Amino acid sequence: MTITRDDVLNWLNECGRVITENKDYLTQLDSAIGDADHGANMDRGFKAALAKLPSVADKDIGTLFKSVGMTLVQTVGGAGGPLYGTFFMQAGTAAANKMELTVGDWAAALEAALNGVVARGKAQPGDKTMVDALTPALSALKQAVVDGADQNESLRRSASAAEQGMKDTIPLVAKKGRASYLGERSAGHQDPGATSSFLLLKAATDTWTK
Ligand code: ADP
Ligand code: MG
């Protein structure tokens, strides 16, 4: 089984739907430890990215990801937009010229994406950022591939590791981004970016394990 170009398009559309559905939730999380714009930022970015997709819809998966990444960088301010922009642009470089992805290819794209986020934002695991959802998701995915798990099982393990990573941000003290201005007072709140990362990876699992 592989992840086709249509599967990728379906995932990106599902990302847009899920982000809109969770817009207020993400903003509420960001109001506790940030500036209450994460839901609006993500929603604006994905709406713009999806609006541009038809113009590249017949292209390879790398081009689809790069288009989303460039639009996110162009339309979303703050920390989240450029970081997610980097995420999708790096995934796009990893998936360049591919018309379908094996689960191993998806792991390689996710790894490139996460490396891009870390290179740009300099956050380490435990700093209470999106990196705390993405890192365990990638580890679980790679381990599942090594274990010989099938695609569905690998994707499920990855999403559930992202969910755990998201929840594990609650007690953390933020070391990066606006939440870090709060110091110890950032503890006790779930990180908005880790939450949006979980939602995007869960959308991938939900779309691709159908
Ligand atoms: P802003 O903080 O500029 O308002 P958003 O509200 O859209 O941007 O995004 C906030 C999220 O961005 C945080 O919850 C965190 O997960 C993520 N984030 C902030 N700074 C970094 C960083 N340096 N590296 C990785 N993620 C970060
Ligand atoms: Mg914010």
Side-chain angles (χ1 to χ4, degrees):
M1 245 176 80
T2 56
I3 299 156
T4 65
R5 227 170 40 85
D6 279 351
D7 291 332
V8 169
L9 285 167
N10 289 337
W11 171 48
L12 294 170
N13 280 296
E14 177 67 2
C15 288
R17 192 191 68 73
V18 166
I19 291 294
T20 301
E21 187 176 86
N22 288 279
K23 183 180 166 188
D24 292 345
Y25 172 52
L26 293 173
T27 288
Q28 184 195 321
L29 292 173
D30 197 31
S31 74
I33 56 170
D35 56 352
D37 64 355
H38 191 58
N41 286 346
M42 294 296 286
D43 193 48
R44 188 171 63 250
F46 269 92
K47 284 206 163 83
L50 292 177
K52 292 221 179 110
L53 270 186
S55 65
V56 288
D58 58 336
K59 300 283 198 303
D60 64 282
I61 292 169
T63 302
L64 301 180
F65 284 160
K66 281 182 201 166
S67 168
V68 169
M70 280 181 322
T71 309
L72 291 178
V73 169
Q74 284 159 10
T75 52
V76 187
L83 289 166
Y84 276 116
T86 300
F87 178 94
F88 279 99
M89 286 196 288
Q90 292 301 319
T93 300
N97 302 318
K98 291 193 191 292
M99 299 306 267
E100 59 180 27
L101 304 175
T102 63
V103 69
D105 292 334
W106 168 240
L110 191 58
E111 181 153 39
L114 172 59
N115 287 342
V117 168
V118 170
R120 181 150 191 166
K122 309 275 185 279
Q124 293 305 310
D127 285 352
K128 198 178 181 101
T129 70
M130 59 178 75
V131 168
D132 291 312
L134 297 171
T135 302
L138 174 65
S139 302
L141 184 62
K142 284 165 74 175
Q143 187 60 49
V145 173
V146 169
D147 292 349
D150 68 15
Q151 179 174 306
N152 286 357
E153 175 63 16
S154 301
L155 291 168
R156 275 194 285 269
R157 285 196 213 168
S158 174
S160 88
E163 181 168 27
Q164 190 59 52
M166 169 190 83
K167 290 180 179 161
D168 289 346
T169 63
I170 295 174
L172 296 175
V173 172
K175 298 280 171 15
K176 285 281 181 294
R178 284 178 193 281
S180 68
Y181 307 160
L182 293 178
E184 299 286 331
R185 280 181 295 139
S186 63
H189 302 280
Q190 187 171 298
D191 180 63
T195 308
S196 54
S197 286
F198 160 66
L199 291 172
L200 298 184
L201 295 180
K202 179 175 185 296
T205 299
D206 290 348
T207 307
W208 297 342
T209 59
K210 261 173 205 155

